[in-house]
Amino acid sequence: MELYITFFIIITSIFLAPIILKRFNIPGITAVMLAGILIGPYGLGIVNDIDESLRTFSTFGAIFLMFLAGMEVDNETLIRGFKNSLFISFFSAIICGIGGYYIGSLLGLNHLGALLYSIMFASNSVGVVYALLNELDMTKSKFGTVLLGAVVLSEVLGMMLLAIVSKISLNQGLETSVLFILQELLYILGLLLLIPFITKKIFKKFENLHCRKIHFVLLIILISILIGEYVGMHPMICAFITGVAVSEALTKEEHDNILNSNLNAIGYSFFIPIFFLTLGMNTDIRILLNLDNLGILVSTLGGFMVLKTISGYLSFKIIGYDRLRSLYGGLLTIPQISAPLVVASVGMDLGVIPHSFYVTIIIMMLLTSIIAPIVIKYMVDRYPLPSIGNIKK
């Protein structure tokens, strides 16, 4: 009985929160996270325990979100804009990484701690950026595709650098790190080559069996993640690459049927909202009242937001986008969830991120993931993007 009551509260929150908060111009993902904070153990305590079943649904929500992000990407546009995405990713990572290292050093972190700060500043959180792009109806635009490609590349780069720093700190050597990078790149290439080939064969065999196609898609996601875990690749990155690879194998009709009629319904109606709700439920807002580390917080959050905005703006401007798109390109990279959490956890495990910095990183994650989307949506509604013709080719 208790299980049914818990899920009744969860589904009610997912249904009502976006409807109620929409009148205040609050994005749907933020509304669901705020609902999670309210009903969770650190809020009113209506749902006190985040049990294993809820964690499982949340994990599948994150995976679905990334897979659908890969499926939504226009592969032709992604390939045409790959150089731009690569440039934006590296340009932003270099500026933010250097800035993050110096901020960490000035705040008193040692070399390794400052390196982790650098990685956190250089990385992005694909899940929340994609969800926000989707809500703003930008995922299929050239701008959205280039930005999403850049965000994915920077997260892949960040995860690789984090793994390298971890291996070096554990005295596993540079050679091990180089082999790790080659292993990751070969695995991504393998997914992009094998999955479209297998998908075409399977879909041809089950041409009139729609459910079998869905089962196959779910199976291939899980297989890619399981093998990815073995080679050391983050599950969310595996899910995104799998989405891109599956999309490459589909005709437009198959893509629309599978994505719009089935997978979007499964993901966005249940699993993905539970992922964002659980993020809110895990959020202890009492941390925000801790003013002991105000100097560290102001320096970290202020530096992070300024570096992200400036690096994004400059990189988009250099490749020919207008000022408004360039500004949004910088602002849309501010919301963070996965990268700060991973860096904070690794830093604590290695003993190079003190507790005061850990608390600061968590507060930064809360503020950027909840407040930034509200500000961005307000700005996009107030200052809508001009027609595509205003972009220099």
Side-chain angles (χ1 to χ4, degrees):
M1 184 70 175
E2 188 178 340
L3 179 66
Y4 298 122
I5 293 173
T6 298
F7 271 92
F8 170 76
I9 295 167
I10 287 169
I11 299 300
T12 302
S13 301
I14 289 169
F15 176 68
L16 291 179
I19 296 173
I20 294 169
L21 295 179
K22 187 177 181 181
R23 65 185 64 185
F24 302 106
N25 208 38
I26 294 176
I29 57 170
T30 307
V32 173
M33 288 177 69
L34 289 172
I37 292 172
L38 184 66
I39 68 171
Y42 302 110
L44 298 178
I46 299 171
V47 179
N48 263 316
D49 183 32
I50 303 174
D51 60 18
E52 197 59 38
S53 61
L54 198 54
R55 288 194 187 93
T56 302
F57 284 131
S58 176
T59 301
F60 272 100
I63 289 167
F64 254 105
L65 182 67
M66 293 310 302
F67 175 77
L68 292 175
M71 283 281 288
E72 285 273 18
V73 168
D74 184 330
N75 289 349
E76 288 185 10
T77 306
L78 182 64
I79 292 168
R80 285 199 306 271
F82 180 76
K83 287 183 181 178
N84 287 339
S85 295
L86 192 63
F87 172 77
I88 292 167
S89 174
F90 276 93
F91 185 88
S92 180
I94 290 168
I95 291 178
C96 294
I98 292 172
Y101 181 86
Y102 276 104
I103 288 172
S105 298
L106 289 171
L107 291 173
L109 291 175
N110 63 18
H111 175 64
L112 194 56
L115 270 178
L116 288 176
Y117 238 53
S118 172
I119 292 169
M120 179 180 72
F121 273 58
S123 299
N124 285 300
S125 296
V126 181
V128 68
V129 174
Y130 168 72
L132 191 52
L133 280 171
N134 189 57
E135 187 158 341
L136 297 172
D137 198 25
M138 293 182 182
T139 51
K140 291 187 180 296
S141 67
K142 181 183 175 183
F143 166 75
T145 301
V146 169
L147 175 61
L148 189 59
V151 169
V152 170
L153 287 170
S154 68
E155 180 151 347
V156 171
L157 178 65
M159 292 299 172
M160 284 185 175
L161 289 173
L162 189 61
I164 290 168
V165 169
S166 301
K167 289 177 186 296
I168 291 174
S169 68
L170 296 172
N171 297 316
Q172 293 186 9
L174 186 60
E175 186 180 339
T176 305
S177 301
V178 172
L179 288 173
F180 170 76
I181 293 173
L182 290 174
Q183 182 176 277
E184 298 274 289
L185 293 174
L186 284 172
Y187 183 58
I188 290 173
L189 184 63
L191 289 177
L192 292 173
L193 291 176
L194 286 175
I195 290 178
F197 175 77
I198 296 169
T199 301
K200 285 177 182 176
K201 296 286 185 185
I202 296 293
F203 274 39
K204 189 174 181 180
K205 184 175 178 65
F206 297 120
E207 192 171 353
N208 298 316
L209 298 172
H210 202 63
C211 286
R212 290 288 181 267
K213 293 179 181 179
I214 301 299
H215 294 157
F216 167 75
V217 168
L218 297 176
L219 181 64
I220 204 73
I221 295 171
L222 290 173
I223 291 172
S224 69
I225 288 172
L226 287 170
I227 299 173
E229 288 272 307
Y230 178 76
V231 301
M233 181 168 284
H234 196 281
M236 290 178 76
I237 302 299
C238 288
F240 179 84
I241 300 297
T242 303
V244 172
V246 169
S247 179
E248 182 64 27
L250 305 182
T251 63
K252 188 180 185 306
E253 185 181 355
E254 287 174 330
H255 185 279
D256 290 343
N257 284 335
I258 290 176
L259 181 65
N260 298 328
S261 303
N262 295 278
L263 295 177
N264 268 343
I266 296 170
Y268 282 105
S269 64
F270 187 65
F271 288 107
I272 294 171
I274 286 181
F275 165 62
F276 284 110
L277 189 83
T278 308
L279 283 176
M281 292 172 69
N282 280 315
T283 300
D284 186 355
I285 55 172
R286 292 173 298 183
I287 293 175
L288 294 172
L289 304 176
N290 183 359
L291 301 179
D292 295 341
N293 308 309
L294 189 60
I296 300 174
L297 174 60
V298 171
S299 301
T300 301
L301 183 61
F304 178 82
M305 293 176 69
V306 168
L307 286 167
K308 282 291 185 186
T309 303
I310 290 175
S311 63
Y313 178 86
L314 289 176
S315 58
F316 272 92
K317 203 79 178 71
I318 288 170
I319 62 173
Y321 281 84
D322 58 57
R323 283 185 295 179
L324 194 57
R325 279 184 174 82
S326 299
L327 176 61
Y328 290 161
L331 292 175
L332 280 161
T333 60
I334 289 175
Q336 297 285 311
I337 292 178
S338 54
L341 280 176
V342 174
V343 168
S345 301
V346 171
M348 288 284 283
D349 291 342
L350 296 175
V352 295
I353 297 287
H355 184 263
S356 57
F357 281 83
Y358 179 83
V359 171
T360 296
I361 291 169
I362 299 303
I363 294 174
M364 187 189 82
M365 184 203 77
L366 295 181
L367 294 176
T368 60
S369 63
I370 293 174
I371 296 175
I374 297 173
V375 174
I376 293 165
K377 188 173 189 300
Y378 171 80
M379 288 188 66
V380 171
D381 289 343
R382 185 79 181 270
Y383 306 104
L385 291 174
S387 65
I388 199 73
N390 289 338
I391 299 178
K392 290 185 285 184
K393 298 297 181 183

